[in-house]
Amino acid sequence: MKKLVAGALALALGFSAFGQEAGVHELKSSAGKIQFGAWGRSTFNIGANNTSTKIDGTAKVSNNIAKMAAAGTIAGTLKDVESITKFCTALANNGDVAGAAAVQTACAAYAGNPTDANKAAVVMAVAGSSAVTDAHIAAAKALIESNVTNPINKDESDVEWYASVAPDWSYGCRVGFWIIGRTTDEHWGFDFNLDSDAAALFVGAQNYDSESPTAALKHKSNGLSYAESGKYAVAIGDQAKIWGIFDLNPVDLKVAFGKMREQELRGSIGDFGQRESSDVKSEDDIFTEMWPVMGMFVSAKGQKGTALEGLYAAVDCDAFGLVSAKDESKELTTKLSTLASTIQGGLGYTIPGIAQVKGQFIADSIEEGNKKYSKAKYQAARAAGFGWKDYAGRFEFGIDWLGFAGGATGIGDVDLDKTPNANIIELGVKVPLVMDEKLRQYDPEKFYNFYTCLGTMGVIQKGFIFYKAHIWGGKGESNLSNYTKFEMAGSKVNLDYTGNAANIVMMGFDALAEVCLNPFGKQNNFAGLSFNYNITLANADGLGKVSGVSGVNTNDVKLQQHNFGIEAYFKKTFAANNYFFIGVADRLSIQKLDGTITDVSALDTTGQLAQLKALTGESVSLDLSYTAVSNKVYIPVGVEMFF
């Protein structure tokens, strides 16, 4: 079980932990030593995806239609013999003694010979009725509603068999090589790793940002964002840095240059690859690592045995430069004003075996020059006038409870021989620095009002059970454009509440447990079970638009999105930390949306609604109900190997 935890924590804690735990090859020289290794992983999924979509639009007519309109002109909007006859009968049967005979005579004449003249006689007979009551109006209203053509009604389902590769953080399949160098005194060194991503065999080095080929400024990586820049056949992984440590008693000062992931304060509880259900939170959901892609990092760490032991402070910046497409120089330059939006600074204090407290600020912006995401990411917000002054980054705060970790400073330091029952609990809170509240509606998952994540991970009786879990939640605002995509009147549309944003709440839970099936033997066979559930709730009380259908509005929208995941698997380890696993999994997504389309004249295919609106000044609305269900049942088969 100790090997299991070591392998899992290697993935959770990152590159440096991997190098220490997974088996290291070493070469020595007069200058120091070089350590190197390799790893690879992939998962193949095969299964079926069942989808169903149901849309209902129930017509409604305003209750304040004028009585004469109900008695007369509404009848003129009805198109067929049956509708007019029903309408007349409804009036005649509701106490209109004075006009009943005339109505019945006119209706009978129209039924026998449905000419325009006889239809006009029906209208006149109804209009001349001397006792049009509320019951008559109700009957007319019900009849109109039952005869409205609802062009958005749909009920369909589909089943598709599919195959895919995972996990997504390695674009399907990854084989990597790492090498680190250290001087004899461990004060100078470099870290480097190289990854090959299988998806790149198909996409090559093409540009994932469709706008950037025409942009005046391009980055050397063809305008790709950080998240996209790894999609090449062979690419730099998480580390490509050179560093040095200076002994400045009572602190060690570390300076590093290049691409890196520094994880001294990062959360420890994350996902462990594909052998778990979907939508599992990561370490960064608790407390984000420091991740300059092309920059500089400086940290100060209190030395053991000094008054500053346990104290840690760090800052980094990212000089991810831009060059002109016509510039022949090879120097990447970044304006200091742009550089300021990449600064990240953190501070933490650790009491071994008790707790770690920490906080940090991560500068950010939504400007086009920010390469943390593609140029098009916040184009809509920029087009609305939002810019650098409206979003500056976020604050993060965290606390790790180490009271059940046997005196360790983190889960990776736990000695399971001394502490066979170990546990760590982490809590993180994120608060974005949004200066203009209206910006929040463009991305509630980035510009949330707040976000918090609580995680726990541990071992029970060393070789028996390993477990981890997260519970999380956040609140924000949204224009709903990313949450309400469906088909209406033959077009794919979404709701747009820009300027009148909906309140949105997101929360969820995930958990995993692995049990050793032979704890008193080789400890190489495991059974695992994972589960997750998350929900998104939105409530928009005001008026919004239906994007893509001119003249159609919505009101009082309520949205629910439910996502479930469950996976059971068997895993067998071999040769140290390597393992093979096979399982069965299910992923269920349900989206429900209810609201009112306030004026459906633009969707009228018969002309009835347009005529009704012209004659009475009243519009017909639709009570909209939309339900979409997607259920994937699949078999994952995967392997991970360390060398």
Side-chain angles (χ1 to χ4, degrees):
M1 193 64 176
K2 189 172 183 178
K3 293 179 180 179
L4 163 66
V5 176
L9 296 178
L11 294 177
L13 301 180
F15 178 85
S16 59
F18 161 73
Q20 297 168 6
E21 299 285 356
V24 176
H25 307 279
E26 185 173 283
L27 298 175
K28 292 184 178 181
S29 70
S30 58
K33 59 185 178 183
I34 293 177
Q35 298 174 337
F36 61 92
W39 73 294
R41 71 151 296 132
S42 185
T43 299
F44 185 83
N45 300 326
I46 186 167
N49 185 24
N50 297 270
T51 59
S52 65
T53 302
K54 183 176 178 61
I55 305 178
D56 289 323
T58 304
K60 295 195 308 181
V61 179
S62 301
N63 284 315
N64 62 345
I65 298 177
K67 290 186 177 182
M68 283 306 295
T73 55
I74 288 179
T77 68
L78 301 176
K79 298 296 184 181
D80 56 84
V81 176
E82 182 182 3
S83 295
I84 292 179
T85 303
K86 286 182 178 179
F87 180 78
C88 295
T89 302
L91 290 177
N93 292 338
N94 276 280
D96 184 8
V97 178
V103 169
Q104 290 174 347
T105 299
C107 285
Y110 181 80
N113 186 17
T115 63
D116 288 340
N118 284 341
K119 179 180 178 180
V122 172
V123 174
M124 291 181 64
V126 174
S129 179
S130 62
V132 179
T133 66
D134 289 341
H136 301 158
I137 296 174
K141 176 175 177 290
L143 187 60
I144 290 174
E145 291 175 345
S146 68
N147 281 277
V148 169
T149 301
N150 297 327
I152 66 171
N153 283 5
K154 182 170 64 173
D155 189 354
E156 61 184 26
S157 60
D158 185 36
V159 178
E160 180 182 10
W161 287 88
Y162 75 97
S164 65
V165 287
D168 56 3
W169 49 260
S170 68
Y171 310 112
C173 178
R174 176 178 288 182
V175 176
F177 171 82
W178 61 268
I179 181 171
I180 61 176
R182 303 286 187 268
T183 58
T184 303
D185 60 6
E186 299 279 344
H187 281 190
W188 300 90
F190 68 85
D191 298 323
F192 175 77
N193 73 300
L194 201 64
D195 289 330
S196 62
D197 297 322
L201 299 177
F202 301 96
V203 302
Q206 70 177 358
N207 194 336
Y208 273 65
D209 184 351
S210 60
E211 294 188 39
S212 56
T214 59
L217 294 177
K218 298 180 181 180
H219 183 260
K220 285 296 186 182
S221 64
N222 243 1
L224 301 180
S225 70
Y226 291 174
E228 295 163 340
S229 59
K231 296 179 180 178
Y232 293 88
V234 178
I236 303 299
D238 296 339
Q239 305 283 353
K241 71 175 185 283
I242 299 174
W243 55 267
I245 296 178
F246 301 90
D247 184 351
L248 303 177
N249 189 32
V251 300
D252 287 328
L253 184 70
K254 181 178 181 180
V255 181
F257 306 91
K259 179 180 182 181
M260 67 202 81
R261 293 195 173 194
E262 295 290 339
Q263 303 176 346
E264 185 79 20
L265 301 179
R266 187 189 191 190
S268 300
I269 304 168
D271 63 274
F272 299 143
Q274 186 64 15
R275 61 179 198 275
E276 58 191 2
S277 54
S278 60
D279 298 320
V280 174
K281 292 303 174 181
S282 74
E283 300 92 331
D284 292 321
D285 285 283
I286 297 173
F287 201 83
T288 307
E289 67 187 332
M290 291 189 152
W291 183 20
V293 174
M294 191 183 298
M296 179 180 179
F297 168 87
V298 179
S299 69
K301 187 173 184 179
Q303 295 176 346
K304 290 185 178 181
T306 70
L308 297 183
E309 181 179 356
L311 186 66
Y312 180 85
V315 63
D316 69 40
C317 62
D318 207 329
F320 196 89
L322 295 172
V323 302
S324 169
K326 298 180 180 179
D327 190 357
E328 297 300 328
S329 70
K330 302 301 181 183
E331 182 179 5
L332 298 179
T333 59
T334 299
K335 294 180 179 179
L336 288 181
S337 59
T338 303
L339 187 72
S341 67
T342 72
I343 291 175
Q344 179 177 355
L347 179 68
Y349 186 74
T350 303
I351 304 175
I354 298 179
Q356 180 187 72
V357 293
K358 50 198 174 184
Q360 67 176 333
F361 175 71
I362 305 173
D364 202 356
S365 76
I366 62 170
E367 295 296 296
E368 290 184 5
N370 190 337
K371 291 296 178 178
K372 291 183 179 179
Y373 27 77
S374 67
K375 175 184 174 181
K377 173 69 173 175
Y378 295 109
Q379 183 58 44
R382 293 192 295 268
F386 295 98
W388 64 270
K389 65 183 182 300
D390 300 310
Y391 172 62
R394 71 175 181 269
F395 294 98
E396 295 191 1
F397 307 95
I399 180 169
D400 299 352
W401 172 246
L402 306 171
F404 308 119
T409 59
I411 195 71
D413 299 330
V414 175
D415 186 336
L416 295 179
D417 289 323
K418 296 180 180 179
T419 311
N421 298 297
N423 173 262
I424 182 173
I425 301 172
E426 298 182 329
L427 175 65
V429 179
K430 304 175 189 287
V431 181
L433 188 58
V434 177
M435 275 69 78
D436 192 327
E437 293 295 313
K438 294 180 180 178
L439 179 62
R440 297 185 189 274
Q441 63 188 289
Y442 291 91
D443 189 348
E445 296 180 19
K446 188 176 185 70
F447 308 129
Y448 37 71
N449 299 101
F450 73 89
Y451 174 91
T452 184
C453 184
L454 175 69
T456 183
M457 180 166 67
V459 178
I460 298 176
Q461 287 302 315
K462 184 181 175 180
F464 186 48
I465 297 177
F466 171 70
Y467 64 89
K468 66 116 184 177
H470 297 100
I471 183 170
W472 59 274
K475 182 180 183 300
E477 299 171 12
S478 175
N479 58 20
L480 296 184
S481 60
N482 291 328
Y483 296 91
T484 56
K485 294 178 171 61
F486 55 93
E487 189 172 299
M488 178 187 293
S491 301
K492 291 184 178 180
V493 300
N494 58 271
L495 304 188
D496 182 2
Y497 272 74
T498 301
N500 195 14
N503 293 318
I504 189 166
V505 175
M506 299 157 282
M507 63 188 75
F509 168 78
D510 65 68
L512 173 144
E514 282 190 0
V515 179
C516 183
L517 300 179
N518 54 342
F520 305 107
K522 294 183 177 180
Q523 297 184 10
N524 61 348
N525 294 315
F526 302 87
L529 179 67
S530 65
F531 171 81
N532 80 279
Y533 168 69
N534 64 64
I535 182 173
T536 299
L537 300 173
N539 188 345
D541 294 328
L543 190 67
K545 298 178 180 179
V546 177
S547 175
V549 182
S550 177
V552 179
N553 298 317
T554 56
N555 200 6
D556 298 331
V557 168
K558 291 179 174 56
L559 171 73
Q560 297 180 31
Q561 290 184 343
H562 305 267
N563 292 296
F564 303 85
I566 187 168
E567 181 170 331
Y569 60 89
F570 171 78
K571 187 180 78 171
K572 184 177 182 61
T573 61
F574 60 93
N577 294 320
N578 302 332
Y579 68 83
F580 166 84
F581 84 99
I582 184 170
V584 59
D586 185 89
R587 297 174 63 175
L588 174 65
S589 298
I590 302 173
Q591 176 173 298
K592 290 183 60 66
L593 184 148
D594 295 291
T596 300
I597 299 181
T598 59
D599 185 355
V600 294
S601 298
L603 304 177
D604 184 15
T605 59
T606 66
Q608 294 180 21
L609 304 183
Q611 186 179 5
L612 176 64
K613 185 174 182 179
L615 292 174
T616 67
E618 300 290 343
S619 61
V620 177
S621 60
L622 292 180
D623 278 344
L624 175 67
S625 177
Y626 169 84
T627 303
V629 179
S630 174
N631 189 39
K632 289 184 177 181
V633 180
Y634 60 97
I635 297 174
V637 181
V639 65
E640 180 159 293
M641 305 180 72
F642 302 87
F643 295 92

